[in-house]
Amino acid sequence: LAKTTQPISMDSYEGQEVNITCSHNNIATNDYITWYQQFPSQGPRFIIQGYKTKVTNEVASLFIPADRKSSTLSLPRVSLSDTAVYYCLVGDDSNYQLIWGAGTKLIIKP
Amino acid sequence: DGGITQSPKYLFRKEGQNVTLSCEQNLNHDAMYWYRQDPGQGLRLIYYSQIVNDFQKGDIAEGYSVSREKKESFPLTVTSAQKNPTAFYLCASRLGSQGRSTEAFFGQGTRLTVV
């Protein structure tokens, strides 16, 4: 099961684009990369998932280089409500044990 | 609305007492999970279940027990053997082998406090 490494914390300002990078050197061929957002005293919420290249949805983009050893979550034009902890996970449907790291605490300032 | 429901939201336990946390899902998911989260920490796996009547220990199963008699339900009992049970408990479910996805759905959590 691939482990992930993320920065412990990041700060940014409203209206900026924020990029959070996750390292996953041991990612397996079948693994997907998934990002979650968690607010205090709530369960994590799925943000985006990808396998390679670029994925975009209504809230974020996910960039995955060709070697897939890292991925970058991009949040466009953040607001104060984006202050949360962001987790990166790797695995596929055979990995019933999803490994959660400590995540990245993102603080958005006015 | 499909989803995953945990109850209660807050729970107080006296020392030496067993308590059971409820988790119900109507997403028709095969896999269900229980996690513990301590302040400022990530999620740690207590137990998981891939199918009905089957479950496996996670990293921190000591002092906890589970059952999976129905696909929709995966209750967690915190026993008196768990010496430090005060924490935030999260239940989750996944499609499992029905899809190549690591997307998990979480309940809103139960905050357990020992008094």
Side-chain angles (χ1 to χ4, degrees), chain A residues 34 36 38 49 93 95-96, chain B residues 33 37 94 99 102 104 111:
Chain A
T34 311
Y36 289 84
Q38 187 181 25
Q49 179 180 259
D93 57 325
N95 299 149
Y96 284 96
Chain B
Y33 304 79
Q37 188 173 36
R94 279 176 64 194
T102 50
R111 187 164 299 281

Side-chain angles (χ1 to χ4, degrees), chain A residues 30 32-34 36 38 41-46 49 87 89-98 100-102, chain B residues 31 33 35 37 41-43 45 48 50 57-59 88 90 94 96-97 99-104 106-108 111:
Chain A
N30 292 336
Y32 280 69
I33 300 157
T34 311
Y36 289 84
Q38 187 181 25
S41 298
Q42 294 188 26
R45 184 176 69 101
F46 172 89
Q49 179 180 259
Y87 295 95
L89 278 74
V90 297
D92 70 3
D93 57 325
S94 67
N95 299 149
Y96 284 96
Q97 290 197 52
L98 298 177
W100 294 75
Chain B
Y33 304 79
Y35 294 93
Q37 188 173 36
Q41 304 296 313
L43 280 66
L45 183 64
Y48 66 102
Q50 300 177 33
K57 293 181 179 180
D59 299 322
F88 189 51
L90 287 160
R94 279 176 64 194
S97 60
R100 299 180 63 79
S101 170
T102 50
E103 181 176 358
F106 283 83
Q108 286 301 299
R111 187 164 299 281

Side-chain angles (χ1 to χ4, degrees), chain A residues 33-86:
Chain A
I33 300 157
T34 311
W35 285 80
Y36 289 84
Q37 176 192 56
Q38 187 181 25
F39 297 112
S41 298
Q42 294 188 26
R45 184 176 69 101
F46 172 89
I47 301 174
I48 197 167
Q49 179 180 259
Y51 184 79
K52 62 180 179 181
T53 61
K54 177 184 175 182
V55 179
T56 298
N57 62 22
E58 62 275 10
V59 297
S61 294
L62 179 60
F63 298 91
I64 305 167
D67 66 6
R68 303 199 330 121
K69 293 185 183 299
S70 67
S71 59
T72 299
L73 174 72
S74 180
L75 303 172
R77 298 178 299 281
V78 293
S79 64
L80 296 176
S81 62
D82 292 315
T83 294
V85 178
Y86 292 83

